[in-house]
Amino acid sequence: MIPLLKTPKSSLYPPKNFVPVRAVRQVRFSEHLPPWMEERDEQIRTPNQKKGLAYEALVHEMLESVYGEMYQASPWIVYWEKDPSCTPARTCQPDGLIIDIRKGVITIVEVKLYNSAMAWWQLLWKYSPVVRALFPGFELRYVEIVKFDDPSIAVPGEVLRVQSLEELQSNSYGVMTWKPE
């Protein structure tokens, strides 16, 4: 079980307005954007958001060149935490999934210009339960790929600084710095 609070390294709490995913009852990939996303895409982005999206696009290109069809960039996933007939569907979108069927390993990818505690919470407390329900029995690994790493950013769990994704271990959270050439 992943520690939620008060580890020896820190005593961090989830970011304000963060809602963790509890028990996933039903889950599937979605081929369509959620309706609210169409409106959001039309909003004006800040210069930092534009830089982050440009960096994310380069990371997607790099991961697709390395992993080919095993890499799924920005998949939309629809899930229900309770009975689907009684509750509305929720959606989430990890920045990427590396799905290695042969090894039975899924690496959930989050991309940021600068590492952040929010990425840890998203990977382990939002995407993890959803992807685990989507791929039962698979080993999960978590990585935040950043352009600029700040090791002083504290999260409630252990952080592995890795040079390649092959260094990740089962249920480990890693930060990998990658700068495009």
Side-chain angles (χ1 to χ4, degrees), residues 24-35:
V24 176
R25 302 280 184 223
Q26 189 173 341
V27 62
R28 65 176 168 79
F29 282 110
S30 177
E31 297 178 13
H32 308 287
L33 283 176

Side-chain angles (χ1 to χ4, degrees), residues 114-144:
Y114 302 89
N115 54 328
S116 71
M118 175 59 99
W120 186 91
W121 289 98
Q122 288 175 314
L123 285 165
L124 288 129
W125 289 95
K126 184 169 191 172
Y127 305 141
S128 178
V130 172
V131 172
R132 191 172 301 285
L134 198 55
F135 294 95
F138 275 65
E139 174 184 309
L140 297 185
R141 299 174 183 180
Y142 314 93
V143 67
E144 180 184 12

Side-chain angles (χ1 to χ4, degrees), residues 17-177:
N17 299 326
F18 179 79
V19 179
V21 174
R22 302 290 179 195
V24 176
R25 302 280 184 223
Q26 189 173 341
V27 62
R28 65 176 168 79
F29 282 110
S30 177
E31 297 178 13
H32 308 287
L33 283 176
W36 57 266
M37 189 63 191
E38 293 171 14
E39 296 168 13
R40 183 175 163 203
D41 269 354
E42 295 173 10
Q43 293 177 358
I44 298 172
R45 300 197 187 280
T46 67
N48 278 346
Q49 287 173 324
K50 289 177 183 177
K51 287 178 187 174
L53 291 171
Y55 175 69
E56 184 178 328
L58 293 172
V59 171
H60 288 318
E61 286 178 22
M62 178 270 293
L63 292 173
E64 286 169 354
S65 72
V66 172
Y67 294 99
E69 290 183 4
M70 288 194 305
Y71 183 66
Q72 301 295 311
S74 305
W76 280 103
I77 304 171
V78 179
Y79 65 95
W80 290 263
E81 290 188 85
K82 297 181 180 177
D83 182 355
S85 66
C86 301
T87 59
R90 294 183 179 209
T91 57
C92 68
Q93 184 186 37
D95 288 338
L97 296 176
I98 302 168
I99 305 168
D100 190 334
I101 300 288
R102 188 177 53 79
K103 291 182 180 176
V105 174
I106 309 286
T107 303
I108 307 173
V109 177
E110 185 67 15
V111 179
K112 303 281 188 202
L113 275 178
Y114 302 89
N115 54 328
S116 71
M118 175 59 99
W120 186 91
W121 289 98
Q122 288 175 314
L123 285 165
L124 288 129
W125 289 95
K126 184 169 191 172
Y127 305 141
S128 178
V130 172
V131 172
R132 191 172 301 285
L134 198 55
F135 294 95
F138 275 65
E139 174 184 309
L140 297 185
R141 299 174 183 180
Y142 314 93
V143 67
E144 180 184 12
I145 299 177
V146 299
K147 189 170 186 179
F148 304 102
D149 182 21
D150 179 358
S152 71
I153 301 294
V155 298
E158 185 177 344
V159 178
L160 299 174
R161 294 299 194 281
V162 297
Q163 301 298 313
S164 81
L165 299 182
E166 280 63 43
E167 295 175 51
L168 293 171
Q169 301 161 8
S170 180
N171 289 314
S172 67
Y173 171 78
V175 173
M176 184 177 98
T177 302

